[in-house]
Amino acid sequence: MFNSDEEWNISFAGCGFRSIYYLGALSCILERVPQLVHGASTICGASSGCLVAAALTVGIPIEQLCVDALTTAKEARKHTLGVFHPTFSLLRSVRDSLLEKLPADAHLRASGKLCVSLTRVADGRNVLVSEFDSREELIQALTCSCFFPLYCGFIPPSYRGVHYMDGALSNNMPLSEHRNTITVAPFSGESDICPREGTFNFFEVHYGNVSIQVNTGNVHRVCTSFLPPRLEKLAEICHNGYMDALRFLRERDLLGAQNPPPSLEVETEAVRPVCCELAEPKKTLLNGQSACLEDHWWLDLEVIENLPFSFKKGEADSAV
């Protein structure tokens, strides 16, 4: 049970393309109780979850992650074989994005705050790393944690000269054994922030420390982790993450407007922009062209409609 009077951690499970669920959840938390993220002792993750954790610790805005997630899925769906097309490399996309977006001092910001789950190829043992001597070393650790055998290739990358693969294969929810860790996963189960199923579940399985109920909804969720769904569906997943996080905040009585717990008092200057609600126009390169993120010109209205309110609000503001 989460206790805001003690130190706490946040842990994100690996889930491939469904990691956009985390961006919706974070949009809600950063909008309503931002110190729940800013005050966490450790932010950890495995596979795609560690990319979200890393962005939080080094200060990359989540609206940028939202754009990247939708752009990558759109690019993958353009090919006949999707992510398995020889001209598309998901791992290369991840590394290129990290090289472009991580600040020069990312390793200093991440050390002691970020915890990345890795699986050592030699013996299959789990390794948790949270100290990084250079920016390149941080990129290596994150890339290793995202390498799923066959799906991402045949030769695993290395970190400090040792070959590692997807952290989800050995520990998909790092630090979940700690009593005061907020666990987040896009699969229905026992995680603190996760989807809720309306149907009765006979049993559940635990994979890499993540509780996953056995039901048709989760079968679909696992499949779409590897194969990117339509952009409208991804936007819906993002919205669901927002609503599930809101339910968590309500159930833990963290939304008290008048007297929030002392450890969760919000400092105005620490509040970051919520999901895709940009304070000012920013530029990025999408398919080789310069584009304004506020315009979201590359998304259709159906995708926008399925995104969380804060995303749509940013879109409406940009149209004024």
Side-chain angles (χ1 to χ4, degrees):
M1 178 65 70
F2 171 69
N3 183 354
S4 61
D5 293 327
E6 303 175 6
E7 289 189 350
W8 65 89
N9 311 305
I10 304 177
S11 186
F12 299 98
C15 56
F17 285 98
R18 293 191 78 93
S19 61
I20 199 169
Y21 177 89
Y22 301 145
L23 307 183
L26 288 168
S27 173
C28 177
I29 296 173
L30 290 172
E31 178 184 272
R32 297 167 182 267
V33 194
Q35 190 59 16
L36 191 62
V37 172
H38 302 323
S41 297
T42 306
I43 301 178
C44 41
S47 195
S48 60
C50 76
L51 299 179
V52 175
L56 291 175
T57 58
V58 304
I60 298 176
I62 62 168
E63 67 267 15
Q64 181 63 67
L65 296 184
C66 189
V67 171
D68 289 348
L70 292 170
T71 304
T72 301
K74 184 177 182 179
E75 183 65 26
R77 290 180 61 86
K78 284 171 49 179
H79 302 290
T80 305
L81 299 176
V83 295
F84 298 105
H85 195 277
T87 63
F88 179 82
S89 171
L90 185 59
L91 200 65
R92 184 177 63 240
S93 297
V94 168
R95 180 173 176 81
D96 289 346
S97 180
L98 292 172
L99 285 170
E100 176 188 351
K101 295 179 176 61
L102 288 183
D105 63 345
H107 58 294
L108 300 177
R109 301 188 193 186
S111 290
K113 181 77 171 181
L114 171 68
C115 179
V116 180
S117 176
L118 305 174
T119 301
R120 192 162 50 212
V121 172
D123 55 10
R125 298 288 297 273
N126 181 251
V127 177
L128 299 180
V129 296
S130 57
E131 297 294 333
F132 312 95
D133 293 335
S134 66
R135 178 175 178 269
E136 174 58 27
E137 195 171 272
L138 172 60
I139 293 175
Q140 289 178 5
L142 295 172
T143 304
C144 285
S145 187
C146 293
F147 179 83
F148 197 93
L150 300 181
Y151 181 75
C152 291
F154 297 93
I155 303 175
S158 62
Y159 166 72
R160 292 185 175 178
V162 179
H163 291 289
Y164 291 94
M165 54 186 175
D166 201 315
L169 296 173
S170 56
N171 186 353
N172 200 21
M173 192 73 85
L175 303 188
S176 60
E177 69 278 7
H178 292 205
R179 185 176 62 86
N180 220 30
T181 294
I182 301 173
T183 54
V184 194
F187 312 110
S188 62
E190 295 181 352
S191 298
D192 293 310
I193 301 176
C194 70
R196 296 280 179 85
E197 293 288 350
T199 56
F200 181 76
N201 296 280
F202 288 97
F203 58 95
E204 61 183 297
V205 297
H206 284 78
Y207 174 75
N209 291 336
V210 177
S211 163
I212 303 178
Q213 294 172 341
V214 178
N215 53 54
T216 54
N218 272 342
V219 170
H220 174 72
R221 293 183 185 105
V222 171
C223 291
T224 52
S225 295
F226 293 95
L227 303 175
R230 294 175 294 108
L231 297 190
E232 308 91 85
K233 182 61 180 179
L234 284 172
E236 180 184 322
I237 294 169
C238 187
H239 175 77
N240 291 340
Y242 184 102
M243 299 307 296
D244 290 339
L246 182 59
R247 183 182 61 240
F248 167 80
L249 296 177
R250 286 172 174 164
E251 291 177 348
R252 300 304 194 279
D253 294 324
L254 296 174
L255 291 176
Q258 301 300 322
N259 297 299
S263 59
L264 292 179
E265 289 180 352
V266 179
E267 296 181 9
T268 304
E269 62 272 17
V271 179
R272 300 178 186 177
V274 294
C275 182
C276 292
E277 183 178 351
L278 303 182
E280 57 183 349
K282 296 182 181 180
K283 299 287 183 177
T284 188
L285 291 178
L286 300 178
N287 297 327
Q289 297 180 335
S290 180
C292 178
L293 298 188
E294 279 195 337
D295 293 336
H296 296 293
W297 60 269
W298 49 284
L299 296 175
D300 59 39
L301 292 179
E302 187 175 359
V303 176
I304 297 295
E305 184 62 29
N306 284 332
L307 287 165
F309 173 76
S310 53
F311 198 135
K312 290 188 286 187
K313 181 177 184 296
E315 177 67 17
D317 291 345
S318 67
V320 175

